[in-house]
Amino acid sequence: DHHERKRKKESREAHERSHKAKKMIGLKAKLYHKQRHAEKIQMKKTIKMHEQRKTKQKNDDKTPEGAVPAYLLDREGQSRAKVLSNMIKQKRKEKAGKWEVPLPKVRAQGETEVLKVIRTGKRQKKAWKRMVTKVCFVGDGFTRKPPKYERFIRPTGLRFKKAHVTHPELKATFCLPILGVKKNPSSPLYTSLGVITKGTVIEVNVSELGLVTQGGKVIWGKYAQVTNNPENDGCINAVLLV
Amino acid sequence: QASSVSGPEADMSSEDVERLLIQFQDENGEILGSPFDVPLDITQDKLQLVCNALLQKEPVPLAFFVQGEMEVVSSLGTCVKALGVETEQVLPVVYQPQALFRVRAVTRCTSTLQGHTEAVISVAFSPTGKYLASGSGDTTVRFWDLTTETPHHTSRGHTHWVLSIAWSPDGKKLASGCKNSQICLWDPVTGAQIGRTLTGHTKWITWLCWEPLHLNPECRYLASSSKDGSIRIWDTVLGRCEKILTGHTQSVTCVKWGGDGLLYTSSQDRTVKVWRAKDGVQCRTLQGHAHWVNTLALSTDHVLRTGAFEPANATVNPQDLTGSLEELKEKALERYNKVRGSAPERLVSGSDDFTLFLWNPAQDKKPLARMTGHSALVNEVLFSPDTRLLASASFDKSVKIWDGRTGKYLMSLRGHVASVYQIAWSADSRLLVSGSSDSTLKVWDIKSGKLNMDLPGHADEVYAVDWSPDGQRVASGGKDKCLRIWRR
């Protein structure tokens, strides 16, 4: 069959070629090899070109769009449409009294988790005392009520005075003294006790940062929100609310 | 002895005006002449005549300040009443010479120079005002001919956005830094690159500053600051880096070469550092800011920029500076000493914490004053050419003017509806132009504190503004890829 024979002959060509190239000697071989080398270079070039077409190349020549001057480089610009809608959203939030915090939703802690029942009495039957099992903050001038009458026990081992506060823009962390607990999201009871759990908003002393108001007064207290579970870690990590 | 027209004491006569004893003092506190007895309703020009007569020099325009604060605008009487000063004692009146020449406000856009294919990021006039150069996001630096207001040269060589440009104080070279951390030097006459491209920084160049003319008339050394936190001093003749100043832990936002051989740098690590230019040793660290320090300004900035060129001698067609290197150095040194006076250079730093600090960096680590009042970050601060005033542009849409010596707040210029990006003073310190992201430029009259001209015309945000040192033109470039020239 003509087609079959043609196909087979063509496939044999590669083998015959290599046989010839190996067996050839002398001047003839030199000339042949020179010619063959040039051919191979061309072949390799076309293969590379085809491969380049298949893969995507990084465009080195084009400079990116959106040129900004040096003072705007490290800042993220806001698209104008966003600015207007943000303004409206902020006005609505202010009206509603909702404030932006880094952790808006936190798991609410139940009483059985935060407070442990302490049994007292001759026969250990009375169960009106509770001990706080989470980290808490008590003020400077704190003195306990007489032990017979105190309902809530805050162990000294779980009392903290300082928090590690991170400034979200500067990305620097400072160890600042706590001034007080502003709000514990789980319950107002915990706020009054000074219990600090994840998501609690605390007030910290930022006088060492050197922030100043427009009027020239030094800011010495700012709010920060706690971001870890202090009873597990042994330290309070918070993010400053700017 | 007090010289007076009628009676030695301040007497209250019933039919004519009260009289008052005043003593002329200059800014440094030196007394001029002896106490004068003048009527309370004496006006500012009569005071000027008297003072000029006492000075016995060529008559100069003067401004008078009572108790160092209140300016005598109409008559002395209004000031006295407003301040409630005792008329029994001798009242010191401080006189301040104003610039001899007046710069006229720019009112119209004479041309829109197109040519850049991307936003124009930086604009600068040469020290004599003869050439104009602009750097843009399309990686080219273009030179423009000011007499015909057409493009002159297009200099290609950078591979990324040209972030900052700086003219050498003799106006013969332009240095430009790009986002790929390369610095190129260009010749404004031919548009060709001089020497090799200076590489060495690892991140983009944020600011370039030449060595002042009076320290070295050849204009050989150039300081560059970069995001990688280092400052490099380059020798432009040999084309290599002389010194590397490290010490900042974050991006260096601005570098200024002072006239006393000190280098000042500000950085995002909230500090300003002072270095000795000769050996690259760090002298001081000025701390106090609570956020990134964006910008620096030296009180002698304008005089260092213009070098040996005196704006009062400007002609309509700006000419190149002539004279040998020695002559230029002498002239520059003379002008520098005149502006600097007896006090050392003052430095102002503006930051993201919405405040500015006024420092005396050569002497003190503690700031002279902290200037608060802005409600958003401060983008640029500039001393006026006569160093008496300080202007700060902020993202809270206002420009605030402060006293250049004490840092006291003087006034707020409101009018822009979006962040103010850059400002430029006119050479006589009477006018200020500000460019903002709301695409307009506004010319403010400092004496009255009011808007002089509103210059709309740009289609998009205005990124760079410059007033030519001879006071004739203002150039502005922005996101709309056009460069606009404004004249009277």
Side-chain angles (χ1 to χ4, degrees), chain A residues 63-75 80 167 169-170 174 209-216, chain B residues 121 137 139 159 161 163 179 204 227 268 290-291 294 352 370 372-375 377 379 421-422 460-461 463:
Chain A
T63 51
E65 302 261 325
V68 269
Y71 51 82
L72 288 178
L73 268 176
D74 282 325
R75 306 180 195 283
R80 265 157 250 188
H167 192 294
E169 283 162 29
L170 286 176
F174 309 92
L209 290 184
L211 301 164
V212 169
T213 59
Q214 279 177 48
Chain B
I121 309 178
T139 75
T159 48
W161 310 339
L163 287 176
K179 193 157 189 287
W204 66 76
K227 175 141 166 78
Q268 280 178 2
H291 211 310
N294 286 331
D352 260 25
R370 186 170 200 174
T372 57
H374 277 298
S375 46
L377 64 96
N379 202 38
Y421 282 154
Q422 293 222 317
D460 213 333
E461 309 189 352
Y463 282 150

Side-chain angles (χ1 to χ4, degrees), chain A residues 212-215, chain B residues 351-356 371-378 392-398 400 402 412 414:
Chain A
V212 169
T213 59
Q214 279 177 48
Chain B
S351 150
D352 260 25
D353 67 355
F354 312 167
T355 63
L356 300 102
M371 299 173 264
T372 57
H374 277 298
S375 46
L377 64 96
V378 178
S392 60
S394 148
F395 277 22
D396 69 352
K397 311 168 198 167
S398 73
K400 288 195 197 282
W402 317 79
S412 242
R414 287 184 201 280

Side-chain angles (χ1 to χ4, degrees), chain B residues 174-201:
Chain B
L174 175 79
S176 60
C178 84
K179 193 157 189 287
N180 268 342
S181 57
Q182 291 173 333
I183 303 174
C184 291
L185 293 158
W186 311 95
D187 178 16
V189 175
T190 58
Q193 184 172 355
I194 303 175
R196 251 181 281 152
T197 306
L198 309 172
T199 51
H201 277 295

Side-chain angles (χ1 to χ4, degrees), chain B residues 122 134-135 139-141 143 155 157-158 161-167 173-178 181-186 197-198 205 208 210 222:
Chain B
S122 48
S134 63
T139 75
T140 60
V141 171
F143 292 92
S155 308
H158 280 296
W161 310 339
V162 179
L163 287 176
S164 72
I165 55 179
W167 285 94
K173 291 184 261 203
L174 175 79
S176 60
C178 84
S181 57
Q182 291 173 333
I183 303 174
C184 291
L185 293 158
W186 311 95
T197 306
L198 309 172
I205 310 282
L208 291 169
W210 288 86
L222 170 69

Side-chain angles (χ1 to χ4, degrees), chain B residues 16-188:
Chain B
D16 45 9
V17 193
E18 285 179 22
R19 304 188 74 93
L20 180 63
L21 276 174
I22 59 173
Q23 170 81 62
F24 286 116
Q25 269 182 4
D26 83 344
E27 298 168 302
N28 297 331
E30 286 163 27
I31 296 178
L32 176 74
S34 50
F36 260 89
D37 186 43
V38 291
L40 264 185
D41 61 354
I42 189 170
T43 56
Q44 190 248 340
D45 18 318
K46 294 219 185 66
L47 274 175
Q48 197 171 301
L49 279 173
V50 174
C51 202
N52 270 323
L54 278 178
L55 281 172
Q56 286 166 357
K57 278 193 285 191
E58 276 180 43
V60 238
L62 298 165
F64 297 93
F65 293 84
V66 172
Q67 280 197 347
E69 288 176 10
M70 199 149 162
E71 187 172 352
V72 178
V73 211
S74 49
S75 80
L76 189 58
T78 44
C79 282
V80 166
K81 275 198 196 73
L83 285 174
V85 176
E86 253 197 34
T87 50
E88 301 286 326
Q89 295 175 335
V90 177
L91 180 69
V93 171
V94 177
Y95 66 89
Q96 273 181 6
Q98 310 272 293
L100 271 175
F101 56 97
R102 281 195 86 90
V103 171
R104 291 208 200 90
V106 297
T107 51
R108 62 198 175 102
C109 177
T110 51
S111 64
T112 306
L113 301 170
Q114 286 161 345
H116 278 297
T117 52
E118 280 285 326
V120 177
I121 309 178
S122 48
V123 160
F125 278 101
S126 76
T128 53
K130 184 161 183 205
Y131 304 107
L132 174 63
S134 63
S136 132
D138 63 359
T139 75
T140 60
V141 171
R142 283 171 202 250
F143 292 92
W144 309 88
D145 182 15
L146 286 172
T147 40
T148 54
E149 298 189 346
T150 50
H152 204 33
H153 294 295
T154 301
S155 308
R156 292 173 210 283
H158 280 296
T159 48
H160 214 305
W161 310 339
V162 179
L163 287 176
S164 72
I165 55 179
W167 285 94
S168 65
D170 61 358
K172 298 222 172 65
K173 291 184 261 203
L174 175 79
S176 60
C178 84
K179 193 157 189 287
N180 268 342
S181 57
Q182 291 173 333
I183 303 174
C184 291
L185 293 158
W186 311 95
D187 178 16

